[in-house]
Amino acid sequence: MTEVYLDYNASAPLDPRVLEAMAPVLSGEVGNASSVHRFGRRQAAAVDEAREHVAALVGGRPGGVVFTAGATEANNLALRGAVEAASEGRQRMLVSAVEHASVGSTARWLADCGLVKLDVVGVTAGGFVEPGAVEELIGPDVLLVSVMAANSETGVLNPADGIAERAREAGALFHCDATQMAGRLPFDMEALGVDLVSVSGHKICGPGGVGALVGTRHALARLAAVIHGGGHERGLRSGSLNVAGIVGLGAAARIAAGERVSESARVGVLRDRLVAELEAQLPGVQQNGDPSRRLPNTASIRFEDADAEAVMANMDPVAVSTGSACSAGSIEPSEVLVAMGLSREAAFESVRFSLGRFTAAEDIDIAVESAAAAVERVRAMTA
Ligand code: PMP
């Protein structure tokens, strides 16, 4: 049986070119990037080169890159750091209803602790935030607005420029989680007017456990540290640097910046073929999210009358995912799909296919065959 991996939005395979860039750091080199001797300076130089690549990937300044242990930590730093450093009079936060848990739960936790008031910005049936929805809720008491660039479950893109404008008018920081976007489509924080951007290594064919928060000078000055210690990373994220991981993130960012447009064109054709063939082979197939404004690698598909967990189990060894989550022992439907107005039933019948750099045409053939057979089997079992 041939294994097929269509879960790039969960974690993408490491590009061999990234491994090649990391190998010398892992095998031969020694030194703390903060040390002043030549060993340390060599490590610091490698980190600084990575800083340039990460900044270039999102249109930021190398000096604005704060390396973290992934996008979860970057999102925590943006939200908690802004609340910690908030000036009096700004104690409200706006967060979209379809954020990753590392934004959504962090915002809810801050609100539960009484540190901030939280307003959740709803999305359209197509799954995106309209700038007008932000405008309705924003005011001079808003500290930060957090809306992701592209949704991990549906791939739907948000209008970051329009949201940035509303945030700027109110004097609020605009944080944009570009974890799924940055490696796939051009993203220029300066041109868009975004203040803080989160990225993650393992979503762009780099290593896991490393990421960055990239900020403008003005935005970083409005954050407090979340992890305290020796004052690394502009005092915002203490801890000896993960040099190999950072070098890997830098290499992945460099490769993605150069290849994301052509790669997305190729992957988009495969994704569209996957959807078209599933629609041709099966009745009751619906796409979730506005297909006209979506990442080219992602499809969230509802198979009517077929429980997605059962479909997924029947598709092994083809890897896909469902957005449902286990919380406190009971399975809950995807919050993203429910926020878009899907019924719980429709959400429980939705499967995410996410493709990427190493997805081949044959993988799509295998996935279509496997998904169609799985859906038919599940429907027959429950009919
Ligand atoms: N934000 C988004 C949109 C994501 O998809 C993910 C990963 N699923 C994260 C943040 C968290 O990234 P990491 O795994 O690097 O902590």
Side-chain angles (χ1 to χ4, degrees):
M1 279 201 287
T2 318
E3 289 185 349
V4 173
Y5 188 77
L6 297 184
D7 203 12
Y8 273 67
N9 289 10
S11 194
L14 192 75
D15 190 308
R17 294 170 290 179
V18 173
L19 183 59
E20 206 178 302
M22 294 170 70
V25 188
L26 286 165
S27 54
E29 304 206 349
V30 65
N32 188 313
S34 302
S35 301
V36 290
H37 50 61
R38 60 171 51 232
F39 296 89
R41 287 202 309 274
R42 267 203 301 270
Q43 302 271 302
V47 167
D48 284 342
E49 192 188 324
R51 227 179 266 291
E52 287 181 16
H53 296 313
V54 172
L57 183 73
V58 295
R61 297 169 307 115
V65 175
V66 177
F67 287 115
T68 63
T72 295
E73 189 193 319
N75 289 340
N76 270 265
L77 175 58
L79 272 64
R80 294 169 58 189
V83 168
E84 189 70 32
S87 56
E88 231 170 271
R90 289 199 186 264
Q91 22 18 29
R92 201 151 59 87
M93 186 179 276
L94 306 186
V95 169
S96 101
V98 295
E99 294 303 303
H100 184 260
S102 52
V103 169
S105 305
T106 302
R108 279 194 294 272
W109 175 77
L110 286 165
D112 289 348
C113 292
L115 297 169
V116 79
K117 292 192 190 105
L118 174 64
D119 278 320
V120 175
V121 187
V123 294
T124 63
F128 56 91
V129 172
E130 274 178 320
V134 172
E135 192 168 336
E136 266 175 35
L137 291 168
I138 208 158
D141 59 336
V142 171
L143 169 67
L144 177 136
V145 177
S146 185
V147 177
M148 70 208 316
N151 187 267
S152 34
E153 285 185 44
T154 60
V156 169
L157 309 176
N158 283 311
D161 49 351
I163 297 164
E165 204 179 312
R166 304 311 192 281
R168 190 173 47 245
E169 281 163 10
L173 288 171
F174 177 31
H175 167 247
C176 186
D177 177 358
T179 299
Q180 297 292 349
M181 175 81 163
R184 307 212 164 92
L185 291 173
F187 183 92
D188 186 331
M189 62 184 286
E190 201 180 309
L192 292 165
V194 175
D195 298 306
L196 296 162
V197 177
S198 301
V199 293
S200 171
H202 69 131
K203 310 291 176 160
I204 62 170
C205 298
V210 63
L213 182 69
V214 187
T216 61
R217 204 183 306 274
H218 151 81
L220 294 181
R222 285 172 66 180
L223 297 187
V226 167
I227 296 182
H228 300 270
H232 308 73
E233 297 297 275
R234 305 173 56 108
L236 286 174
R237 202 282 187 172
S238 287
S240 299
L241 296 181
N242 165 14
V243 180
I246 288 169
V247 165
L249 173 63
R254 172 176 52 76
I255 295 165
E259 299 181 2
R260 61 186 161 185
V261 173
S262 55
E263 180 177 301
S264 285
R266 184 189 76 83
V267 168
V269 171
L270 295 179
R271 190 273 315 270
D272 290 345
R273 184 156 73 74
L274 171 83
V275 174
E277 290 187 12
L278 288 170
E279 284 173 342
Q281 292 197 19
L282 292 166
V285 173
Q286 288 152 22
Q287 289 198 74
N288 300 317
D290 186 339
S292 71
R293 47 191 305 157
R294 207 171 41 162
L295 288 175
N297 79 314
T298 308
S300 167
I301 300 183
R302 177 190 179 193
F303 299 105
E304 273 174 40
D305 301 322
D307 178 72
E309 296 286 336
V311 169
M312 197 172 79
N314 276 278
M315 281 180 68
D316 182 62
V318 176
V320 292
S321 79
T322 71
S324 48
C326 188
S327 81
S330 69
I331 300 285
E332 288 298 320
S334 150
E335 284 183 28
V336 171
L337 299 179
V338 170
M340 290 162 59
L342 267 75
S343 64
R344 285 173 64 91
E345 184 192 19
F348 276 133
E349 293 174 348
S350 294
V351 176
R352 178 185 71 188
F353 299 81
S354 53
L355 291 56
R357 185 169 299 162
F358 305 105
T359 306
E362 307 83 74
D363 294 332
I364 301 303
D365 299 334
I366 297 169
V368 169
E369 196 184 319
S370 159
V375 169
E376 279 169 355
R377 206 170 308 137
V378 172
R379 282 177 177 167
M381 278 185 320
T382 47

